[in-house]
Amino acid sequence: SINKPKSHHLRLDDVHISVKTSKKFHRQRLDVILQTWFTQAAEQTYFVTDDEDAEYQGKTNGHLVESNCSSSHNRKALCCKMSVELDFFMVMDKKWFCHFDDDNYVNVDSLLDLLGQYDSRQDWYLGKPSIKAPLEIPYLRKQSNKNGNSAFWFATGGAGFCLSRSLVRRMQPLVSNGKFMGLGEKIRLPDDVTIGYVIEYLLGVPLTMVDRFHSHLEPLHVLADDALRSQVSFSYSTYRGNQMNRVTVPGWDTNSDPTRFFSLFCYLSPTRSKNCPPVGT
Ligand code: UDP
Ligand code: MN
């Protein structure tokens, strides 16, 4: 058809899916992933964590990357994991690096469809910001880069983002051998912001905004049934009490499927799941 986007004949095996996690979340967050979307990309998905865990090393079929990063939630520890994620990608022969958090559902078919629209031999930074304007940070005040900008966009890590191999290769001199952690310390901002700083500000490659990525920083229940199939990622979050931000999708009741991931799995790929509720429930 006339408006069909260019296809770069991408195979799932061209994509490296990297999930950031922590040992304290393995049972709570990885089980639901391993039983749902992971089954569709088990060869391509790796979990970067902070401690040894023989049980989950087995459950992931050896795809748990046990980094030496600290297990705390500080900037250094999170930047450490991101740099391990990037280093791990570089030793794999893949065209695309996609990062997700361990509270993301990855819609593998839609991810592949999205990436097929771009050429991995060019520089691509695909993701979705969670703020309405590019970030101005004190460290950069009155300094501008080669494009004349003193602010930059960044893709929210909690929604997932993808980088082409060409771009990650260009990032190497700036981020390899622990330099990424140094940059995070310098600008004093989290890992996803530091990624944006490196790509948009230092390299001058603009973020391509893709609405199909979703974090729990946005209201997830507003996504319509018929739009779910084309989305790339979903998430969930728990607040105090019983307030939850999660996708509305037909399927299991919310007590047996609080994250909605089992229901999403059934809804998006009914033929691939043996244990799904009957359609119409
Ligand atoms: N995370 C981590 N170490 C920590 C806390 C969180 O590696 O000490 C990871 C976690 O596994 C997830 C991401 O960081 O992939 C975001 O964590 P979380 O969803 O708990 O917090 P948010 O930033 O979304 O509020
Ligand atoms: Mn989260």
mmCIF file of all heavy atoms in Angstrom, residues 124-172:
data_model
loop_
_atom_site.group_PDB
_atom_site.id
_atom_site.type_symbol
_atom_site.label_atom_id
_atom_site.label_comp_id
_atom_site.label_asym_id
_atom_site.label_seq_id
_atom_site.Cartn_x
_atom_site.Cartn_y
_atom_site.Cartn_z
ATOM 1 N N TRP A 124 19.641 6.195 15.788
ATOM 2 C CA TRP A 124 18.246 6.328 16.238
ATOM 3 C C TRP A 124 18.142 6.168 17.753
ATOM 4 O O TRP A 124 18.671 5.212 18.316
ATOM 5 C CB TRP A 124 17.346 5.276 15.569
ATOM 6 C CG TRP A 124 17.132 5.530 14.118
ATOM 7 C CD1 TRP A 124 17.634 4.808 13.071
ATOM 8 C CD2 TRP A 124 16.340 6.576 13.536
ATOM 9 N NE1 TRP A 124 17.212 5.349 11.876
ATOM 10 C CE2 TRP A 124 16.421 6.432 12.128
ATOM 11 C CE3 TRP A 124 15.579 7.623 14.063
ATOM 12 C CZ2 TRP A 124 15.771 7.289 11.243
ATOM 13 C CZ3 TRP A 124 14.928 8.483 13.191
ATOM 14 C CH2 TRP A 124 15.025 8.308 11.788
ATOM 15 N N TYR A 125 17.435 7.124 18.346
ATOM 16 C CA TYR A 125 17.126 7.124 19.788
ATOM 17 C C TYR A 125 15.611 7.194 19.863
ATOM 18 O O TYR A 125 15.025 8.242 19.605
ATOM 19 C CB TYR A 125 17.808 8.344 20.423
ATOM 20 C CG TYR A 125 17.553 8.624 21.888
ATOM 21 C CD1 TYR A 125 17.240 7.621 22.812
ATOM 22 C CD2 TYR A 125 17.687 9.937 22.374
ATOM 23 C CE1 TYR A 125 17.044 7.919 24.147
ATOM 24 C CE2 TYR A 125 17.499 10.240 23.720
ATOM 25 C CZ TYR A 125 17.182 9.234 24.602
ATOM 26 O OH TYR A 125 17.001 9.541 25.941
ATOM 27 N N LEU A 126 14.974 6.065 20.149
ATOM 28 C CA LEU A 126 13.512 5.966 20.129
ATOM 29 C C LEU A 126 12.978 5.798 21.544
ATOM 30 O O LEU A 126 13.415 4.899 22.271
ATOM 31 C CB LEU A 126 13.074 4.753 19.297
ATOM 32 C CG LEU A 126 13.653 4.573 17.895
ATOM 33 C CD1 LEU A 126 13.181 3.239 17.292
ATOM 34 C CD2 LEU A 126 13.234 5.727 16.989
ATOM 35 N N GLY A 127 12.034 6.650 21.924
ATOM 36 C CA GLY A 127 11.449 6.505 23.254
ATOM 37 C C GLY A 127 10.446 7.608 23.521
ATOM 38 O O GLY A 127 10.067 8.344 22.608
ATOM 39 N N LYS A 128 10.015 7.697 24.757
ATOM 40 C CA LYS A 128 8.997 8.705 25.093
ATOM 41 C C LYS A 128 9.382 9.505 26.334
ATOM 42 O O LYS A 128 9.671 8.909 27.376
ATOM 43 C CB LYS A 128 7.645 8.038 25.312
ATOM 44 C CG LYS A 128 6.562 9.093 25.609
ATOM 45 C CD LYS A 128 5.201 8.637 25.227
ATOM 46 C CE LYS A 128 4.613 7.767 26.310
ATOM 47 N NZ LYS A 128 3.235 7.392 25.976
ATOM 48 N N PRO A 129 9.382 10.820 26.230
ATOM 49 C CA PRO A 129 9.674 11.643 27.408
ATOM 50 C C PRO A 129 8.496 11.630 28.381
ATOM 51 O O PRO A 129 7.367 11.377 27.979
ATOM 52 C CB PRO A 129 9.845 13.061 26.842
ATOM 53 C CG PRO A 129 9.617 12.977 25.381
ATOM 54 C CD PRO A 129 9.032 11.633 25.060
ATOM 55 N N SER A 130 8.769 11.915 29.638
ATOM 56 C CA SER A 130 7.679 12.036 30.607
ATOM 57 C C SER A 130 7.528 13.479 31.066
ATOM 58 O O SER A 130 6.742 13.768 31.960
ATOM 59 C CB SER A 130 7.927 11.100 31.798
ATOM 60 O OG SER A 130 9.198 11.336 32.348
ATOM 61 N N ILE A 131 8.286 14.386 30.476
ATOM 62 C CA ILE A 131 8.129 15.806 30.790
ATOM 63 C C ILE A 131 7.739 16.553 29.517
ATOM 64 O O ILE A 131 7.915 16.034 28.416
ATOM 65 C CB ILE A 131 9.417 16.414 31.414
ATOM 66 C CG1 ILE A 131 10.637 16.121 30.545
ATOM 67 C CG2 ILE A 131 9.618 15.866 32.831
ATOM 68 C CD1 ILE A 131 11.924 16.748 31.057
ATOM 69 N N LYS A 132 7.165 17.765 29.692
ATOM 70 C CA LYS A 132 6.563 18.444 28.544
ATOM 71 C C LYS A 132 7.524 19.343 27.778
ATOM 72 O O LYS A 132 7.195 19.869 26.720
ATOM 73 C CB LYS A 132 5.357 19.269 29.020
ATOM 74 C CG LYS A 132 4.168 18.397 29.407
ATOM 75 C CD LYS A 132 2.896 19.208 29.543
ATOM 76 C CE LYS A 132 1.675 18.314 29.689
ATOM 77 N NZ LYS A 132 1.728 17.547 30.978
ATOM 78 N N ALA A 133 8.709 19.525 28.311
ATOM 79 C CA ALA A 133 9.690 20.390 27.644
ATOM 80 C C ALA A 133 11.066 19.781 27.853
ATOM 81 O O ALA A 133 11.266 19.018 28.795
ATOM 82 C CB ALA A 133 9.620 21.789 28.246
ATOM 83 N N PRO A 134 11.999 20.115 26.972
ATOM 84 C CA PRO A 134 13.343 19.563 27.181
ATOM 85 C C PRO A 134 13.920 20.010 28.516
ATOM 86 O O PRO A 134 13.598 21.086 29.018
ATOM 87 C CB PRO A 134 14.145 20.105 25.999
ATOM 88 C CG PRO A 134 13.335 21.191 25.402
ATOM 89 C CD PRO A 134 11.915 20.951 25.777
ATOM 90 N N LEU A 135 14.745 19.167 29.100
ATOM 91 C CA LEU A 135 15.268 19.421 30.442
ATOM 92 C C LEU A 135 16.387 20.460 30.416
ATOM 93 O O LEU A 135 17.327 20.367 29.639
ATOM 94 C CB LEU A 135 15.808 18.098 31.002
ATOM 95 C CG LEU A 135 16.181 18.097 32.487
ATOM 96 C CD1 LEU A 135 14.943 18.246 33.357
ATOM 97 C CD2 LEU A 135 16.921 16.798 32.827
ATOM 98 N N GLU A 136 16.245 21.452 31.297
ATOM 99 C CA GLU A 136 17.318 22.430 31.495
ATOM 100 C C GLU A 136 17.980 22.063 32.800
ATOM 101 O O GLU A 136 17.317 21.965 33.815
ATOM 102 C CB GLU A 136 16.727 23.838 31.648
ATOM 103 C CG GLU A 136 15.928 24.284 30.456
ATOM 104 C CD GLU A 136 16.423 25.604 29.901
ATOM 105 O OE1 GLU A 136 17.619 25.910 30.102
ATOM 106 O OE2 GLU A 136 15.617 26.306 29.278
ATOM 107 N N ILE A 137 19.258 21.819 32.804
ATOM 108 C CA ILE A 137 19.886 21.429 34.062
ATOM 109 C C ILE A 137 20.941 22.444 34.468
ATOM 110 O O ILE A 137 21.588 23.060 33.628
ATOM 111 C CB ILE A 137 20.477 20.000 33.987
ATOM 112 C CG1 ILE A 137 21.571 19.900 32.928
ATOM 113 C CG2 ILE A 137 19.389 18.974 33.724
ATOM 114 C CD1 ILE A 137 22.281 18.560 32.940
ATOM 115 N N PRO A 138 21.087 22.632 35.778
ATOM 116 C CA PRO A 138 22.002 23.649 36.288
ATOM 117 C C PRO A 138 23.419 23.491 35.730
ATOM 118 O O PRO A 138 24.070 24.469 35.392
ATOM 119 C CB PRO A 138 21.994 23.400 37.804
ATOM 120 C CG PRO A 138 20.728 22.688 38.081
ATOM 121 C CD PRO A 138 20.388 21.919 36.841
ATOM 122 N N TYR A 139 23.849 22.251 35.590
ATOM 123 C CA TYR A 139 25.206 21.990 35.135
ATOM 124 C C TYR A 139 25.474 22.622 33.764
ATOM 125 O O TYR A 139 26.587 23.008 33.456
ATOM 126 C CB TYR A 139 25.437 20.471 35.073
ATOM 127 C CG TYR A 139 26.786 20.092 34.526
ATOM 128 C CD1 TYR A 139 27.931 20.233 35.310
ATOM 129 C CD2 TYR A 139 26.917 19.636 33.223
ATOM 130 C CE1 TYR A 139 29.174 19.910 34.804
ATOM 131 C CE2 TYR A 139 28.156 19.309 32.714
ATOM 132 C CZ TYR A 139 29.285 19.443 33.507
ATOM 133 O OH TYR A 139 30.509 19.128 32.998
ATOM 134 N N LEU A 140 24.401 22.732 32.952
ATOM 135 C CA LEU A 140 24.584 23.226 31.582
ATOM 136 C C LEU A 140 24.207 24.693 31.421
ATOM 137 O O LEU A 140 24.184 25.216 30.320
ATOM 138 C CB LEU A 140 23.728 22.408 30.612
ATOM 139 C CG LEU A 140 24.073 20.924 30.498
ATOM 140 C CD1 LEU A 140 23.112 20.233 29.553
ATOM 141 C CD2 LEU A 140 25.501 20.746 30.003
ATOM 142 N N ARG A 141 23.872 25.355 32.529
ATOM 143 C CA ARG A 141 23.387 26.729 32.410
ATOM 144 C C ARG A 141 24.368 27.600 31.610
ATOM 145 O O ARG A 141 25.563 27.606 31.880
ATOM 146 C CB ARG A 141 23.158 27.336 33.803
ATOM 147 C CG ARG A 141 22.039 28.369 33.789
ATOM 148 C CD ARG A 141 21.993 29.190 35.064
ATOM 149 N NE ARG A 141 22.196 28.404 36.278
ATOM 150 C CZ ARG A 141 21.209 27.896 37.008
ATOM 151 N NH1 ARG A 141 19.972 28.083 36.662
ATOM 152 N NH2 ARG A 141 21.504 27.214 38.096
ATOM 153 N N LYS A 142 23.836 28.252 30.612
ATOM 154 C CA LYS A 142 24.600 29.165 29.751
ATOM 155 C C LYS A 142 25.678 28.459 28.935
ATOM 156 O O LYS A 142 26.540 29.084 28.342
ATOM 157 C CB LYS A 142 25.221 30.295 30.573
ATOM 158 C CG LYS A 142 24.168 31.202 31.202
ATOM 159 C CD LYS A 142 24.799 32.456 31.790
ATOM 160 C CE LYS A 142 23.780 33.330 32.476
ATOM 161 N NZ LYS A 142 23.380 32.773 33.790
ATOM 162 N N GLN A 143 25.617 27.133 28.905
ATOM 163 C CA GLN A 143 26.508 26.430 27.991
ATOM 164 C C GLN A 143 25.618 25.866 26.902
ATOM 165 O O GLN A 143 24.549 25.365 27.195
ATOM 166 C CB GLN A 143 27.158 25.228 28.678
ATOM 167 C CG GLN A 143 28.243 25.554 29.616
ATOM 168 C CD GLN A 143 28.896 24.284 30.184
ATOM 169 O OE1 GLN A 143 29.735 24.356 30.967
ATOM 170 N NE2 GLN A 143 28.516 23.129 29.788
ATOM 171 N N SER A 144 26.027 25.902 25.667
ATOM 172 C CA SER A 144 25.224 25.223 24.663
ATOM 173 C C SER A 144 26.116 24.308 23.841
ATOM 174 O O SER A 144 27.318 24.522 23.737
ATOM 175 C CB SER A 144 24.487 26.222 23.775
ATOM 176 O OG SER A 144 25.424 27.059 23.147
ATOM 177 N N ASN A 145 25.481 23.285 23.298
ATOM 178 C CA ASN A 145 26.255 22.312 22.530
ATOM 179 C C ASN A 145 26.411 22.779 21.095
ATOM 180 O O ASN A 145 26.029 23.893 20.738
ATOM 181 C CB ASN A 145 25.615 20.921 22.636
ATOM 182 C CG ASN A 145 24.291 20.842 21.904
ATOM 183 O OD1 ASN A 145 23.816 21.831 21.345
ATOM 184 N ND2 ASN A 145 23.708 19.660 21.881
ATOM 185 N N LYS A 146 26.909 21.899 20.241
ATOM 186 C CA LYS A 146 27.203 22.308 18.867
ATOM 187 C C LYS A 146 25.952 22.684 18.075
ATOM 188 O O LYS A 146 26.040 23.395 17.087
ATOM 189 C CB LYS A 146 27.992 21.204 18.150
ATOM 190 C CG LYS A 146 27.240 19.892 18.042
ATOM 191 C CD LYS A 146 28.063 18.831 17.327
ATOM 192 C CE LYS A 146 27.240 17.548 17.220
ATOM 193 N NZ LYS A 146 28.023 16.417 16.739
ATOM 194 N N ASN A 147 24.790 22.207 18.544
ATOM 195 C CA ASN A 147 23.539 22.579 17.871
ATOM 196 C C ASN A 147 22.915 23.833 18.492
ATOM 197 O O ASN A 147 21.823 24.227 18.137
ATOM 198 C CB ASN A 147 22.524 21.439 17.928
ATOM 199 C CG ASN A 147 23.012 20.199 17.219
ATOM 200 O OD1 ASN A 147 24.016 20.248 16.497
ATOM 201 N ND2 ASN A 147 22.335 19.085 17.413
ATOM 202 N N GLY A 148 23.604 24.442 19.460
ATOM 203 C CA GLY A 148 23.091 25.648 20.104
ATOM 204 C C GLY A 148 22.066 25.385 21.187
ATOM 205 O O GLY A 148 21.364 26.294 21.626
ATOM 206 N N ASN A 149 21.958 24.137 21.645
ATOM 207 C CA ASN A 149 20.976 23.823 22.689
ATOM 208 C C ASN A 149 21.632 23.758 24.061
ATOM 209 O O ASN A 149 22.750 23.277 24.190
ATOM 210 C CB ASN A 149 20.334 22.464 22.406
ATOM 211 C CG ASN A 149 19.537 22.481 21.118
ATOM 212 O OD1 ASN A 149 18.932 23.490 20.779
ATOM 213 N ND2 ASN A 149 19.570 21.377 20.388
ATOM 214 N N SER A 150 20.901 24.222 25.076
ATOM 215 C CA SER A 150 21.402 24.054 26.429
ATOM 216 C C SER A 150 20.454 23.174 27.233
ATOM 217 O O SER A 150 20.579 23.018 28.426
ATOM 218 C CB SER A 150 21.566 25.407 27.113
ATOM 219 O OG SER A 150 20.329 26.052 27.172
ATOM 220 N N ALA A 151 19.464 22.607 26.560
ATOM 221 C CA ALA A 151 18.520 21.684 27.204
ATOM 222 C C ALA A 151 18.399 20.459 26.305
ATOM 223 O O ALA A 151 18.778 20.518 25.140
ATOM 224 C CB ALA A 151 17.165 22.342 27.371
ATOM 225 N N PHE A 152 17.913 19.380 26.860
ATOM 226 C CA PHE A 152 17.810 18.161 26.052
ATOM 227 C C PHE A 152 16.619 17.322 26.486
ATOM 228 O O PHE A 152 16.155 17.415 27.614
ATOM 229 C CB PHE A 152 19.104 17.330 26.148
ATOM 230 C CG PHE A 152 19.442 16.899 27.562
ATOM 231 C CD1 PHE A 152 18.960 15.700 28.072
ATOM 232 C CD2 PHE A 152 20.226 17.705 28.381
ATOM 233 C CE1 PHE A 152 19.250 15.314 29.367
ATOM 234 C CE2 PHE A 152 20.517 17.326 29.693
ATOM 235 C CZ PHE A 152 20.029 16.133 30.189
ATOM 236 N N TRP A 153 16.122 16.522 25.555
ATOM 237 C CA TRP A 153 15.061 15.553 25.836
ATOM 238 C C TRP A 153 15.688 14.239 26.297
ATOM 239 O O TRP A 153 16.800 13.914 25.888
ATOM 240 C CB TRP A 153 14.253 15.259 24.571
ATOM 241 C CG TRP A 153 13.369 16.357 24.118
ATOM 242 C CD1 TRP A 153 13.589 17.199 23.059
ATOM 243 C CD2 TRP A 153 12.098 16.726 24.668
ATOM 244 N NE1 TRP A 153 12.540 18.060 22.930
ATOM 245 C CE2 TRP A 153 11.605 17.802 23.904
ATOM 246 C CE3 TRP A 153 11.322 16.256 25.750
ATOM 247 C CZ2 TRP A 153 10.395 18.416 24.161
ATOM 248 C CZ3 TRP A 153 10.113 16.866 26.011
ATOM 249 C CH2 TRP A 153 9.655 17.939 25.226
ATOM 250 N N PHE A 154 14.972 13.483 27.081
ATOM 251 C CA PHE A 154 15.403 12.122 27.389
ATOM 252 C C PHE A 154 14.177 11.212 27.405
ATOM 253 O O PHE A 154 13.072 11.654 27.740
ATOM 254 C CB PHE A 154 16.159 12.039 28.720
ATOM 255 C CG PHE A 154 15.312 12.333 29.925
ATOM 256 C CD1 PHE A 154 14.728 11.292 30.653
ATOM 257 C CD2 PHE A 154 15.083 13.632 30.336
ATOM 258 C CE1 PHE A 154 13.928 11.550 31.777
ATOM 259 C CE2 PHE A 154 14.278 13.908 31.449
ATOM 260 C CZ PHE A 154 13.708 12.868 32.164
ATOM 261 N N ALA A 155 14.385 9.972 27.023
ATOM 262 C CA ALA A 155 13.310 8.979 27.044
ATOM 263 C C ALA A 155 13.237 8.388 28.444
ATOM 264 O O ALA A 155 14.255 7.999 29.019
ATOM 265 C CB ALA A 155 13.601 7.887 26.025
ATOM 266 N N THR A 156 12.041 8.309 28.994
ATOM 267 C CA THR A 156 11.842 7.738 30.331
ATOM 268 C C THR A 156 12.230 6.260 30.347
ATOM 269 O O THR A 156 11.680 5.466 29.578
ATOM 270 C CB THR A 156 10.361 7.863 30.720
ATOM 271 O OG1 THR A 156 10.022 9.240 30.658
ATOM 272 C CG2 THR A 156 10.103 7.328 32.116
ATOM 273 N N GLY A 157 13.165 5.907 31.226
ATOM 274 C CA GLY A 157 13.621 4.521 31.303
ATOM 275 C C GLY A 157 12.491 3.563 31.643
ATOM 276 O O GLY A 157 12.461 2.435 31.163
ATOM 277 N N GLY A 158 11.555 4.006 32.447
ATOM 278 C CA GLY A 158 10.442 3.171 32.898
ATOM 279 C C GLY A 158 9.406 2.885 31.826
ATOM 280 O O GLY A 158 8.468 2.120 32.053
ATOM 281 N N ALA A 159 9.569 3.509 30.639
ATOM 282 C CA ALA A 159 8.686 3.203 29.514
ATOM 283 C C ALA A 159 9.422 2.345 28.499
ATOM 284 O O ALA A 159 8.813 1.787 27.598
ATOM 285 C CB ALA A 159 8.206 4.490 28.839
ATOM 286 N N GLY A 160 10.749 2.268 28.647
ATOM 287 C CA GLY A 160 11.588 1.560 27.685
ATOM 288 C C GLY A 160 12.036 2.491 26.579
ATOM 289 O O GLY A 160 11.351 3.475 26.267
ATOM 290 N N PHE A 161 13.207 2.222 26.018
ATOM 291 C CA PHE A 161 13.689 2.986 24.858
ATOM 292 C C PHE A 161 14.613 2.087 24.047
ATOM 293 O O PHE A 161 15.125 1.086 24.554
ATOM 294 C CB PHE A 161 14.403 4.281 25.288
ATOM 295 C CG PHE A 161 15.594 4.074 26.179
ATOM 296 C CD1 PHE A 161 16.843 3.752 25.644
ATOM 297 C CD2 PHE A 161 15.481 4.202 27.570
ATOM 298 C CE1 PHE A 161 17.944 3.563 26.470
ATOM 299 C CE2 PHE A 161 16.581 4.007 28.402
ATOM 300 C CZ PHE A 161 17.819 3.684 27.850
ATOM 301 N N CYS A 162 14.805 2.447 22.778
ATOM 302 C CA CYS A 162 15.669 1.653 21.896
ATOM 303 C C CYS A 162 16.710 2.526 21.217
ATOM 304 O O CYS A 162 16.440 3.675 20.860
ATOM 305 C CB CYS A 162 14.836 0.948 20.823
ATOM 306 S SG CYS A 162 13.656 -0.252 21.489
ATOM 307 N N LEU A 163 17.901 1.963 21.047
ATOM 308 C CA LEU A 163 19.016 2.641 20.387
ATOM 309 C C LEU A 163 19.525 1.754 19.257
ATOM 310 O O LEU A 163 19.672 0.542 19.442
ATOM 311 C CB LEU A 163 20.169 2.883 21.383
ATOM 312 C CG LEU A 163 19.821 3.478 22.754
ATOM 313 C CD1 LEU A 163 21.094 3.567 23.613
ATOM 314 C CD2 LEU A 163 19.181 4.852 22.606
ATOM 315 N N SER A 164 19.799 2.369 18.110
ATOM 316 C CA SER A 164 20.358 1.590 17.000
ATOM 317 C C SER A 164 21.822 1.281 17.281
ATOM 318 O O SER A 164 22.490 1.983 18.044
ATOM 319 C CB SER A 164 20.239 2.372 15.694
ATOM 320 O OG SER A 164 20.977 3.576 15.786
ATOM 321 N N ARG A 165 22.321 0.215 16.665
ATOM 322 C CA ARG A 165 23.715 -0.168 16.881
ATOM 323 C C ARG A 165 24.673 0.957 16.483
ATOM 324 O O ARG A 165 25.663 1.214 17.159
ATOM 325 C CB ARG A 165 24.042 -1.429 16.078
ATOM 326 C CG ARG A 165 25.462 -1.880 16.332
ATOM 327 C CD ARG A 165 25.740 -3.320 16.013
ATOM 328 N NE ARG A 165 26.921 -3.734 16.726
ATOM 329 C CZ ARG A 165 26.913 -4.385 17.885
ATOM 330 N NH1 ARG A 165 25.767 -4.706 18.447
ATOM 331 N NH2 ARG A 165 28.026 -4.691 18.492
ATOM 332 N N SER A 166 24.350 1.614 15.386
ATOM 333 C CA SER A 166 25.178 2.728 14.934
ATOM 334 C C SER A 166 25.328 3.776 16.041
ATOM 335 O O SER A 166 26.429 4.263 16.308
ATOM 336 C CB SER A 166 24.526 3.347 13.695
ATOM 337 O OG SER A 166 25.040 4.618 13.457
ATOM 338 N N LEU A 167 24.218 4.102 16.696
ATOM 339 C CA LEU A 167 24.261 5.105 17.762
ATOM 340 C C LEU A 167 25.041 4.609 18.974
ATOM 341 O O LEU A 167 25.876 5.339 19.519
ATOM 342 C CB LEU A 167 22.828 5.494 18.168
ATOM 343 C CG LEU A 167 22.704 6.465 19.349
ATOM 344 C CD1 LEU A 167 23.471 7.759 19.083
ATOM 345 C CD2 LEU A 167 21.235 6.779 19.635
ATOM 346 N N VAL A 168 24.819 3.371 19.375
ATOM 347 C CA VAL A 168 25.544 2.850 20.551
ATOM 348 C C VAL A 168 27.046 2.831 20.262
ATOM 349 O O VAL A 168 27.867 3.119 21.133
ATOM 350 C CB VAL A 168 25.031 1.464 20.988
ATOM 351 C CG1 VAL A 168 25.802 0.970 22.216
ATOM 352 C CG2 VAL A 168 23.542 1.503 21.300
ATOM 353 N N ARG A 169 27.402 2.537 19.018
ATOM 354 C CA ARG A 169 28.821 2.553 18.668
ATOM 355 C C ARG A 169 29.402 3.963 18.807
ATOM 356 O O ARG A 169 30.499 4.150 19.324
ATOM 357 C CB ARG A 169 29.032 2.025 17.255
ATOM 358 C CG ARG A 169 30.466 1.563 17.016
ATOM 359 C CD ARG A 169 30.724 1.092 15.597
ATOM 360 N NE ARG A 169 30.089 -0.171 15.292
ATOM 361 C CZ ARG A 169 29.190 -0.336 14.318
ATOM 362 N NH1 ARG A 169 28.846 0.674 13.559
ATOM 363 N NH2 ARG A 169 28.664 -1.516 14.104
ATOM 364 N N ARG A 170 28.634 4.956 18.390
ATOM 365 C CA ARG A 170 29.102 6.349 18.539
ATOM 366 C C ARG A 170 29.198 6.775 20.001
ATOM 367 O O ARG A 170 29.970 7.651 20.366
ATOM 368 C CB ARG A 170 28.156 7.309 17.811
ATOM 369 C CG ARG A 170 28.499 7.506 16.357
ATOM 370 C CD ARG A 170 27.663 8.607 15.755
ATOM 371 N NE ARG A 170 27.998 9.939 16.261
ATOM 372 C CZ ARG A 170 27.231 11.012 16.092
ATOM 373 N NH1 ARG A 170 26.088 10.908 15.438
ATOM 374 N NH2 ARG A 170 27.591 12.180 16.588
ATOM 375 N N MET A 171 28.364 6.147 20.849
ATOM 376 C CA MET A 171 28.371 6.499 22.286
ATOM 377 C C MET A 171 29.584 5.905 23.006
ATOM 378 O O MET A 171 29.981 6.395 24.068
ATOM 379 C CB MET A 171 27.091 5.976 22.958
ATOM 380 C CG MET A 171 25.824 6.679 22.520
ATOM 381 S SD MET A 171 24.347 5.719 22.988
ATOM 382 C CE MET A 171 24.399 5.870 24.783
ATOM 383 N N GLN A 172 30.128 4.838 22.441
ATOM 384 C CA GLN A 172 31.180 4.079 23.124
ATOM 385 C C GLN A 172 32.299 4.911 23.763
ATOM 386 O O GLN A 172 32.602 4.737 24.938
ATOM 387 C CB GLN A 172 31.786 3.021 22.171
ATOM 388 C CG GLN A 172 30.923 1.787 22.007
ATOM 389 C CD GLN A 172 30.653 1.119 23.331
ATOM 390 O OE1 GLN A 172 31.536 0.534 23.937
ATOM 391 N NE2 GLN A 172 29.435 1.235 23.804
#
